[in-house]
Amino acid sequence: MYDLIIKQGKLINGAIIDIVINDGRIAAVGPLAATGLSAIRYIDLHGHYFVSAGWIDAHTHCYPQSPLYFDEPDLIGAASGVTTVVDAGSAGEDDIDHFYSVARRMKTHVYAFLNIARTGMRNQNELADLTQIDTSRLQDAVRRHAGFVIGLKARMSKSVVGENGLQPLIQAKALHSKLRQKTNRLPLMVHIGNPPPNLEEIADLLTQGDIITHCFNGKPNRILDGKGNLKPAIQRALSRGVVLDVGHGTESFSFTVAEQAIKFGAYPHMISSDIYQKNRVGGPVYSLANVMTKFLTLGVPPEQILNCVTANPADLLHLPRKGRLERGLDGDITIFELKNQRIELFDAEGQVRIGTQQFIPIAAIIAGTHIVVVERSTADELSL
C-alpha cells in the first residue's frame, strides 16, 4: 500500500504519466506506472492537468521576523504552488538560529542564503560597516546549519555598501573560497543594484557557480551597455560559469532588458520572484507563477521556464533530491494548468505586456503527504 498515486498527469511535452509516492519519495513514475498498485490516496488528473517536479523559488524573503522584507514561507510557498523556497539573505548569523526554528515548522521546504552581514537585512545598509562581517561567526553558522544554509548572500549596491565599494564582496569571496575548500556545495549569490560599485567590477570577481541576482534590472548597473549590447564583463562571467537569476522583486525586473538580453542568448538559469509581503499583495510580483508567465510573453518555451524553477535551481543550489520526476527523489509535485487566457503583466518599471497564456498552479504536494490547494474550483473538480 503506497501513500499516494497521481494518475494520468500530463508532462509539459504532452506525455501522460502516473506518479507513485511512498515514505516521502517517488517510488515509481512513468506511463501506467500505477497499474495494479493501491494507495491510501489517489489523485486522477485525467490527462488534462500538468504535473512537474515541485517548483523551487530560488530567491525569496520569507523570514517572518525580518523588519524590512518578510513573509510567511507557506504563503509564498505551498499556498502558491511552490514546494521549496530559498530565502536570499534576510538573516545573518545573529538570527539564523531563530529562522531555522521557524523554517522547520513549515509544510514548505525552506532553505537560506546566509547574509554575510551578521545582522542580515535589519537595515538597508548592512554592509556600510565592515565590522558587520565576522568571518569566524559566519563559518560557524554555515557549519551549524549545514543543509539549511545552502549559500552566502552579498548585496552589492550603493545603498547597502555605502563608501565600502567592492570590499564586502572581496571579503565574501575570500570566505567563500575557504568554505568551498571543505565543500563545493556553497554558491555565493550577489545582488546588483545602483552603482557604485560598477557591475563590471562585480562581475570580474565572480567565479563558476556564483549567482548574479536581479540580472534583468533596468538600473544603471544593468547587464546591457548604452547600445543595448551585452556587456563584455557579463559575457566573460557567463563563459566562466556564473549563473543568472531573475530575482524580479519590486524594482529589479525590466521587460526591455530581459527581451534584449534574451536576443543575445543570455537566458536566465533560474527564474525567481524576490517575493515578500508587500510585492506579493501589491505587485508587481504577486507569485512565482506570475513571474514565470512573464517569460511566456518574452517567447521563452514553457519547458525551458519549468526547468528554471525545477531542475536548474536543484542543480545550481545543490539540492540533489529535488527538481526532477525520478524514482528515489523527493515526492514534491506541482499540479498546474497552462491556460490560454489574456493577462496584463507589469514589470518593475511599470511597463505592460499582454500575455495570452499563463501558468496557474492548482496544488502543491510536499513529500507525498501535504497537499496544499491553490486553485479551489479545479481542486474541487479533482477531489483534492
Side-chain angles (χ1 to χ4, degrees):
M1 180 75 69
Y2 293 91
D3 291 334
L4 174 66
I5 288 176
I6 302 170
K7 296 191 68 176
Q8 292 196 299
K10 184 166 60 172
L11 297 178
I12 200 66
N13 65 8
I16 304 299
I17 63 164
D18 298 338
I19 305 169
V20 182
I21 300 175
N22 203 51
D23 292 332
R25 304 281 185 90
I26 297 174
V29 61
L32 304 176
T35 301
L37 302 181
S38 59
I40 297 169
R41 189 163 188 179
Y42 291 86
I43 300 171
D44 195 337
L45 301 180
H46 308 289
H48 296 154
Y49 299 99
F50 289 98
V51 290
S52 71
W55 294 352
I56 301 167
D57 194 339
H59 183 150
T60 72
H61 290 285
C62 62
Y63 177 37
Q65 278 67 43
S66 178
L68 295 180
Y69 306 107
F70 56 86
D71 214 327
E72 294 290 334
D74 281 342
L75 283 178
I76 64 174
S80 300
V82 177
T83 61
T84 298
V85 296
V86 183
D87 184 275
S90 301
E93 74 250 23
D94 283 359
D95 297 311
I96 198 66
D97 293 345
H98 183 259
F99 186 19
Y100 176 78
S101 70
V102 170
R104 295 311 92 183
R105 298 195 295 267
M106 299 295 141
K107 294 185 177 73
T108 309
H109 300 294
V110 182
Y111 299 92
F113 282 95
L114 181 67
N115 198 308
I116 63 168
R118 64 176 182 81
T119 56
M121 294 169 64
R122 289 185 197 165
N123 305 297
Q124 287 284 13
N125 62 341
E126 72 264 22
L127 293 175
D129 178 0
L130 292 178
T131 65
Q132 298 287 356
I133 305 174
D134 187 321
T135 301
S136 62
R137 288 182 61 184
L138 272 168
Q139 291 183 84
D140 182 60
V142 170
R143 208 165 33 241
R144 195 166 66 248
H145 292 293
F148 173 59
V149 171
I150 60 167
L152 301 179
K153 173 73 178 294
R155 297 203 303 151
M156 295 302 297
S157 56
K158 172 65 175 175
S159 61
V160 179
V161 303
E163 301 304 316
N164 287 326
L166 283 173
Q167 281 306 307
L169 183 57
I170 291 169
Q171 292 192 31
K173 284 299 295 179
L175 172 61
H176 187 237
S177 296
K178 287 182 183 178
L179 291 169
R180 290 190 75 173
Q181 289 172 8
K182 300 174 183 177
T183 172
N184 196 39
R185 300 186 170 194
L186 199 73
L188 171 66
M189 177 180 277
V190 179
H191 153 122
I192 56 172
N194 286 313
N198 292 321
L199 175 59
E200 291 86 342
E201 298 173 299
I202 294 169
D204 282 340
L205 286 174
L206 303 183
T207 54
Q208 183 176 14
D210 291 343
I211 301 163
I212 293 175
T213 193
H214 309 313
C215 66
F216 296 143
N217 78 68
K219 299 175 183 179
N221 254 2
R222 68 187 71 183
I223 65 175
L224 305 177
D225 65 19
K227 296 181 179 179
N229 297 313
L230 203 61
K231 288 179 176 177
I234 294 299
Q235 296 178 44
R236 293 193 298 271
L238 292 175
S239 71
R240 293 194 302 274
V242 172
V243 173
L244 296 182
D245 172 54
V246 171
H248 186 302
T250 305
E251 300 179 348
S252 298
F253 177 75
S254 162
F255 276 127
T256 300
V257 172
E259 286 165 340
Q260 190 68 6
I262 286 171
K263 286 180 182 177
F264 290 107
Y267 287 89
H269 300 94
M270 301 191 296
I271 294 176
S272 66
S273 66
D274 185 22
I275 197 168
Y276 61 99
Q277 187 183 61
K278 182 178 178 181
N279 66 30
R280 171 175 59 82
V281 175
V285 175
Y286 299 111
S287 67
L288 179 61
N290 185 266
V291 178
M292 293 162 65
T293 295
K294 292 176 185 182
F295 282 86
L296 290 174
T297 70
L298 297 175
V300 181
E303 187 167 8
Q304 186 173 346
I305 293 170
L306 278 178
N307 281 338
C308 288
V309 299
T310 55
N312 289 2
D315 291 345
L316 296 166
L317 304 182
H318 306 287
L319 303 172
R321 297 206 310 267
K322 301 190 184 302
R324 292 176 174 83
L325 296 177
E326 295 178 5
R327 187 175 183 274
L329 300 193
D330 288 349
D332 297 340
I333 312 292
T334 298
I335 301 172
F336 64 98
E337 289 185 86
L338 194 56
K339 197 165 187 177
N340 294 321
Q341 66 181 27
R342 184 184 184 278
I343 181 171
E344 194 173 55
L345 298 158
F346 297 84
D347 69 4
E349 300 178 327
Q351 295 184 61
V352 179
R353 297 290 186 275
I354 303 300
T356 58
Q357 193 177 49
Q358 59 181 301
F359 286 96
I360 298 178
I362 297 169
I365 299 172
I366 299 169
T369 53
H370 298 298
I371 300 176
V372 181
V373 169
V374 181
E375 184 65 29
R376 182 74 264 171
S377 59
T378 305
D380 288 343
E381 177 187 326
L382 296 171
S383 300
L384 288 175

